[in-house]
Amino acid sequence: DAMVIQNPRYQVTQFGKPVTLSCSQTLNHNVMYWYQQKSSQAPKLLFHYYDKDFNNEADTPDNFQSRRPNTSFCFLDIRSPGLGDAAMYLCATSRDLAGAASYEQYFGPGTRLTVT
Amino acid sequence: LAKTTQPISMDSYEGQEVNITCSHNNIATNDYITWYQQFPSQGPRFIIQGYKTKVTNEVASLFIPADRKSSTLSLPRVSLSDTAVYYCLVGEGKLIFGQGTTLQVKP
């Protein structure tokens, strides 16, 4: 019954070694989001896709990229992870971007990234 | 996006009603007020959403005064499992999380 699935749940990568985190959804929602959450902090929006339209937050580092090959899947690529990129990465979806339907976001369980 | 202010932490005991108030003085006409709950090592979970007056669901109630510059999340008869971080968000579209309120429920 999982609606937003993130794989893997735990990921260890080496400093500078590219890593990809994946997210899939069974809700057929138009919007998919990626958040970064560091320890004891609130989730921080990195970017989102509305259908195929990509929207980057102004302060998201260039090191972070995303791909959405189809409605169901979205990937987060970290090109050269640094120690400061260790965090929980959360994927979320919503039906729309405007109006009441936009506010109920469905979050996945997250992927905890460790950088060694 | 309207900025929100809520207490950093609150303590309660099992069986009590908990009210968490959020200030959002710059709320815009089109903005909705939404609350999320987050347990450790899990993604946030939608609790309730409202525009004005009072909204109630099976989990919580949301009280919004006429000026909409604040809102109060009410959790009836909390249990230990309600220990979590509660986020108040205001806006339209993408979510910008504030610091949240860490609720600790004690036996």
PDB file of all heavy atoms in Angstrom, chain A residues 51-71:
ATOM      1  N   ASP A  51       4.789  17.968 -13.473  1.00  0.00           N
ATOM      2  CA  ASP A  51       4.839  17.160 -14.692  1.00  0.00           C
ATOM      3  C   ASP A  51       6.303  17.107 -15.134  1.00  0.00           C
ATOM      4  O   ASP A  51       7.159  16.647 -14.392  1.00  0.00           O
ATOM      5  CB  ASP A  51       3.918  17.750 -15.752  1.00  0.00           C
ATOM      6  CG  ASP A  51       3.631  16.769 -16.876  1.00  0.00           C
ATOM      7  OD1 ASP A  51       3.970  15.583 -16.711  1.00  0.00           O
ATOM      8  OD2 ASP A  51       3.080  17.171 -17.907  1.00  0.00           O
ATOM      9  N   LYS A  52       6.624  17.604 -16.318  1.00  0.00           N
ATOM     10  CA  LYS A  52       8.016  17.568 -16.768  1.00  0.00           C
ATOM     11  C   LYS A  52       8.756  18.879 -16.514  1.00  0.00           C
ATOM     12  O   LYS A  52       9.952  18.997 -16.827  1.00  0.00           O
ATOM     13  CB  LYS A  52       8.069  17.252 -18.263  1.00  0.00           C
ATOM     14  CG  LYS A  52       7.589  15.855 -18.633  1.00  0.00           C
ATOM     15  CD  LYS A  52       7.806  15.604 -20.117  1.00  0.00           C
ATOM     16  CE  LYS A  52       7.146  14.340 -20.598  1.00  0.00           C
ATOM     17  NZ  LYS A  52       7.591  13.165 -19.914  1.00  0.00           N
ATOM     18  N   ASP A  53       8.061  19.849 -15.989  1.00  0.00           N
ATOM     19  CA  ASP A  53       8.681  21.159 -15.747  1.00  0.00           C
ATOM     20  C   ASP A  53       9.458  21.142 -14.435  1.00  0.00           C
ATOM     21  O   ASP A  53       8.890  20.915 -13.368  1.00  0.00           O
ATOM     22  CB  ASP A  53       7.615  22.254 -15.697  1.00  0.00           C
ATOM     23  CG  ASP A  53       6.954  22.466 -17.032  1.00  0.00           C
ATOM     24  OD1 ASP A  53       7.613  22.195 -18.062  1.00  0.00           O
ATOM     25  OD2 ASP A  53       5.792  22.911 -17.050  1.00  0.00           O
ATOM     26  N   PHE A  54      10.737  21.437 -14.568  1.00  0.00           N
ATOM     27  CA  PHE A  54      11.631  21.414 -13.409  1.00  0.00           C
ATOM     28  C   PHE A  54      11.747  22.806 -12.810  1.00  0.00           C
ATOM     29  O   PHE A  54      11.919  23.782 -13.525  1.00  0.00           O
ATOM     30  CB  PHE A  54      13.016  20.922 -13.858  1.00  0.00           C
ATOM     31  CG  PHE A  54      14.050  20.926 -12.771  1.00  0.00           C
ATOM     32  CD1 PHE A  54      13.991  19.998 -11.747  1.00  0.00           C
ATOM     33  CD2 PHE A  54      15.078  21.859 -12.775  1.00  0.00           C
ATOM     34  CE1 PHE A  54      14.946  19.990 -10.746  1.00  0.00           C
ATOM     35  CE2 PHE A  54      16.037  21.855 -11.780  1.00  0.00           C
ATOM     36  CZ  PHE A  54      15.977  20.923 -10.765  1.00  0.00           C
ATOM     37  N   ASN A  55      11.668  22.881 -11.473  1.00  0.00           N
ATOM     38  CA  ASN A  55      11.774  24.156 -10.773  1.00  0.00           C
ATOM     39  C   ASN A  55      12.783  24.022  -9.643  1.00  0.00           C
ATOM     40  O   ASN A  55      12.557  23.298  -8.679  1.00  0.00           O
ATOM     41  CB  ASN A  55      10.421  24.573 -10.216  1.00  0.00           C
ATOM     42  CG  ASN A  55       9.432  24.862 -11.312  1.00  0.00           C
ATOM     43  OD1 ASN A  55       9.329  25.982 -11.784  1.00  0.00           O
ATOM     44  ND2 ASN A  55       8.708  23.844 -11.748  1.00  0.00           N
ATOM     45  N   ASN A  56      13.866  24.752  -9.785  1.00  0.00           N
ATOM     46  CA  ASN A  56      14.955  24.699  -8.814  1.00  0.00           C
ATOM     47  C   ASN A  56      14.778  25.824  -7.797  1.00  0.00           C
ATOM     48  O   ASN A  56      14.450  26.945  -8.173  1.00  0.00           O
ATOM     49  CB  ASN A  56      16.267  24.891  -9.582  1.00  0.00           C
ATOM     50  CG  ASN A  56      17.449  24.344  -8.853  1.00  0.00           C
ATOM     51  OD1 ASN A  56      17.328  23.402  -8.078  1.00  0.00           O
ATOM     52  ND2 ASN A  56      18.599  24.932  -9.075  1.00  0.00           N
ATOM     53  N   GLU A  57      14.982  25.532  -6.510  1.00  0.00           N
ATOM     54  CA  GLU A  57      15.008  26.612  -5.522  1.00  0.00           C
ATOM     55  C   GLU A  57      16.293  27.416  -5.710  1.00  0.00           C
ATOM     56  O   GLU A  57      17.340  26.866  -6.078  1.00  0.00           O
ATOM     57  CB  GLU A  57      14.942  26.058  -4.106  1.00  0.00           C
ATOM     58  CG  GLU A  57      13.602  25.420  -3.759  1.00  0.00           C
ATOM     59  CD  GLU A  57      12.452  26.375  -3.908  1.00  0.00           C
ATOM     60  OE1 GLU A  57      12.414  27.392  -3.182  1.00  0.00           O
ATOM     61  OE2 GLU A  57      11.579  26.104  -4.767  1.00  0.00           O
ATOM     62  N   ALA A  58      16.203  28.700  -5.439  1.00  0.00           N
ATOM     63  CA  ALA A  58      17.318  29.599  -5.734  1.00  0.00           C
ATOM     64  C   ALA A  58      18.601  29.215  -4.994  1.00  0.00           C
ATOM     65  O   ALA A  58      19.705  29.397  -5.517  1.00  0.00           O
ATOM     66  CB  ALA A  58      16.927  31.029  -5.385  1.00  0.00           C
ATOM     67  N   ASP A  59      18.471  28.676  -3.804  1.00  0.00           N
ATOM     68  CA  ASP A  59      19.672  28.390  -3.011  1.00  0.00           C
ATOM     69  C   ASP A  59      20.074  26.915  -3.061  1.00  0.00           C
ATOM     70  O   ASP A  59      20.911  26.487  -2.257  1.00  0.00           O
ATOM     71  CB  ASP A  59      19.467  28.846  -1.565  1.00  0.00           C
ATOM     72  CG  ASP A  59      18.246  28.215  -0.924  1.00  0.00           C
ATOM     73  OD1 ASP A  59      17.495  27.508  -1.637  1.00  0.00           O
ATOM     74  OD2 ASP A  59      18.027  28.426   0.282  1.00  0.00           O
ATOM     75  N   THR A  60      19.539  26.159  -3.975  1.00  0.00           N
ATOM     76  CA  THR A  60      19.952  24.762  -4.121  1.00  0.00           C
ATOM     77  C   THR A  60      21.288  24.708  -4.844  1.00  0.00           C
ATOM     78  O   THR A  60      21.412  25.253  -5.947  1.00  0.00           O
ATOM     79  CB  THR A  60      18.902  23.961  -4.899  1.00  0.00           C
ATOM     80  OG1 THR A  60      17.674  23.972  -4.171  1.00  0.00           O
ATOM     81  CG2 THR A  60      19.354  22.521  -5.107  1.00  0.00           C
ATOM     82  N   PRO A  61      22.289  24.063  -4.237  1.00  0.00           N
ATOM     83  CA  PRO A  61      23.611  24.021  -4.883  1.00  0.00           C
ATOM     84  C   PRO A  61      23.559  23.293  -6.225  1.00  0.00           C
ATOM     85  O   PRO A  61      22.762  22.374  -6.427  1.00  0.00           O
ATOM     86  CB  PRO A  61      24.464  23.242  -3.875  1.00  0.00           C
ATOM     87  CG  PRO A  61      23.742  23.343  -2.577  1.00  0.00           C
ATOM     88  CD  PRO A  61      22.292  23.407  -2.916  1.00  0.00           C
ATOM     89  N   ASP A  62      24.460  23.693  -7.124  1.00  0.00           N
ATOM     90  CA  ASP A  62      24.541  23.074  -8.457  1.00  0.00           C
ATOM     91  C   ASP A  62      24.899  21.600  -8.384  1.00  0.00           C
ATOM     92  O   ASP A  62      24.689  20.852  -9.342  1.00  0.00           O
ATOM     93  CB  ASP A  62      25.596  23.799  -9.307  1.00  0.00           C
ATOM     94  CG  ASP A  62      25.171  25.202  -9.642  1.00  0.00           C
ATOM     95  OD1 ASP A  62      23.951  25.481  -9.575  1.00  0.00           O
ATOM     96  OD2 ASP A  62      26.039  26.032  -9.968  1.00  0.00           O
ATOM     97  N   ASN A  63      25.464  21.204  -7.282  1.00  0.00           N
ATOM     98  CA  ASN A  63      25.844  19.813  -7.046  1.00  0.00           C
ATOM     99  C   ASN A  63      24.642  18.867  -7.057  1.00  0.00           C
ATOM    100  O   ASN A  63      24.785  17.663  -7.216  1.00  0.00           O
ATOM    101  CB  ASN A  63      26.538  19.765  -5.667  1.00  0.00           C
ATOM    102  CG  ASN A  63      27.368  18.551  -5.466  1.00  0.00           C
ATOM    103  OD1 ASN A  63      27.819  17.943  -6.429  1.00  0.00           O
ATOM    104  ND2 ASN A  63      27.564  18.188  -4.210  1.00  0.00           N
ATOM    105  N   PHE A  64      23.458  19.425  -6.870  1.00  0.00           N
ATOM    106  CA  PHE A  64      22.239  18.632  -6.809  1.00  0.00           C
ATOM    107  C   PHE A  64      21.483  18.774  -8.124  1.00  0.00           C
ATOM    108  O   PHE A  64      21.219  19.882  -8.592  1.00  0.00           O
ATOM    109  CB  PHE A  64      21.344  19.105  -5.665  1.00  0.00           C
ATOM    110  CG  PHE A  64      21.886  18.828  -4.305  1.00  0.00           C
ATOM    111  CD1 PHE A  64      22.766  19.706  -3.704  1.00  0.00           C
ATOM    112  CD2 PHE A  64      21.520  17.680  -3.625  1.00  0.00           C
ATOM    113  CE1 PHE A  64      23.281  19.453  -2.436  1.00  0.00           C
ATOM    114  CE2 PHE A  64      22.019  17.419  -2.354  1.00  0.00           C
ATOM    115  CZ  PHE A  64      22.899  18.307  -1.766  1.00  0.00           C
ATOM    116  N   GLN A  65      21.152  17.630  -8.701  1.00  0.00           N
ATOM    117  CA  GLN A  65      20.390  17.604  -9.942  1.00  0.00           C
ATOM    118  C   GLN A  65      19.230  16.628  -9.762  1.00  0.00           C
ATOM    119  O   GLN A  65      19.228  15.800  -8.843  1.00  0.00           O
ATOM    120  CB  GLN A  65      21.273  17.136 -11.106  1.00  0.00           C
ATOM    121  CG  GLN A  65      22.548  17.947 -11.298  1.00  0.00           C
ATOM    122  CD  GLN A  65      22.271  19.295 -11.918  1.00  0.00           C
ATOM    123  OE1 GLN A  65      21.430  19.414 -12.787  1.00  0.00           O
ATOM    124  NE2 GLN A  65      22.993  20.318 -11.472  1.00  0.00           N
ATOM    125  N   SER A  66      18.277  16.715 -10.672  1.00  0.00           N
ATOM    126  CA  SER A  66      17.143  15.803 -10.583  1.00  0.00           C
ATOM    127  C   SER A  66      16.685  15.415 -11.969  1.00  0.00           C
ATOM    128  O   SER A  66      16.906  16.143 -12.941  1.00  0.00           O
ATOM    129  CB  SER A  66      16.001  16.470  -9.812  1.00  0.00           C
ATOM    130  OG  SER A  66      14.932  15.568  -9.609  1.00  0.00           O
ATOM    131  N   ARG A  67      16.079  14.255 -12.040  1.00  0.00           N
ATOM    132  CA  ARG A  67      15.499  13.753 -13.288  1.00  0.00           C
ATOM    133  C   ARG A  67      14.147  13.163 -12.993  1.00  0.00           C
ATOM    134  O   ARG A  67      13.962  12.524 -11.954  1.00  0.00           O
ATOM    135  CB  ARG A  67      16.395  12.634 -13.880  1.00  0.00           C
ATOM    136  CG  ARG A  67      17.776  13.073 -14.306  1.00  0.00           C
ATOM    137  CD  ARG A  67      18.636  11.847 -14.619  1.00  0.00           C
ATOM    138  NE  ARG A  67      19.105  11.146 -13.450  1.00  0.00           N
ATOM    139  CZ  ARG A  67      19.056   9.822 -13.300  1.00  0.00           C
ATOM    140  NH1 ARG A  67      18.511   9.053 -14.240  1.00  0.00           N
ATOM    141  NH2 ARG A  67      19.538   9.257 -12.210  1.00  0.00           N
ATOM    142  N   ARG A  68      13.234  13.355 -13.925  1.00  0.00           N
ATOM    143  CA  ARG A  68      11.915  12.729 -13.809  1.00  0.00           C
ATOM    144  C   ARG A  68      11.581  12.118 -15.168  1.00  0.00           C
ATOM    145  O   ARG A  68      10.981  12.766 -16.009  1.00  0.00           O
ATOM    146  CB  ARG A  68      10.853  13.730 -13.372  1.00  0.00           C
ATOM    147  CG  ARG A  68       9.529  13.041 -13.049  1.00  0.00           C
ATOM    148  CD  ARG A  68       8.462  14.009 -12.599  1.00  0.00           C
ATOM    149  NE  ARG A  68       7.265  13.320 -12.169  1.00  0.00           N
ATOM    150  CZ  ARG A  68       6.125  13.924 -11.831  1.00  0.00           C
ATOM    151  NH1 ARG A  68       6.043  15.248 -11.876  1.00  0.00           N
ATOM    152  NH2 ARG A  68       5.087  13.228 -11.457  1.00  0.00           N
ATOM    153  N   PRO A  69      11.943  10.868 -15.377  1.00  0.00           N
ATOM    154  CA  PRO A  69      11.737  10.241 -16.687  1.00  0.00           C
ATOM    155  C   PRO A  69      10.283   9.972 -17.025  1.00  0.00           C
ATOM    156  O   PRO A  69       9.927   9.891 -18.202  1.00  0.00           O
ATOM    157  CB  PRO A  69      12.524   8.922 -16.582  1.00  0.00           C
ATOM    158  CG  PRO A  69      12.595   8.645 -15.115  1.00  0.00           C
ATOM    159  CD  PRO A  69      12.622   9.973 -14.428  1.00  0.00           C
ATOM    160  N   ASN A  70       9.457   9.801 -16.015  1.00  0.00           N
ATOM    161  CA  ASN A  70       8.027   9.588 -16.238  1.00  0.00           C
ATOM    162  C   ASN A  70       7.261  10.033 -15.001  1.00  0.00           C
ATOM    163  O   ASN A  70       7.868  10.489 -14.017  1.00  0.00           O
ATOM    164  CB  ASN A  70       7.736   8.121 -16.578  1.00  0.00           C
ATOM    165  CG  ASN A  70       8.289   7.161 -15.547  1.00  0.00           C
ATOM    166  OD1 ASN A  70       8.026   7.316 -14.354  1.00  0.00           O
ATOM    167  ND2 ASN A  70       9.059   6.190 -15.997  1.00  0.00           N
ATOM    168  N   THR A  71       5.943   9.898 -15.015  1.00  0.00           N
ATOM    169  CA  THR A  71       5.122  10.393 -13.902  1.00  0.00           C
ATOM    170  C   THR A  71       5.482   9.729 -12.588  1.00  0.00           C
ATOM    171  O   THR A  71       5.434  10.350 -11.530  1.00  0.00           O
ATOM    172  CB  THR A  71       3.632  10.142 -14.212  1.00  0.00           C
ATOM    173  OG1 THR A  71       3.292  10.826 -15.405  1.00  0.00           O
ATOM    174  CG2 THR A  71       2.740  10.636 -13.083  1.00  0.00           C
TER     175      THR A  71
END
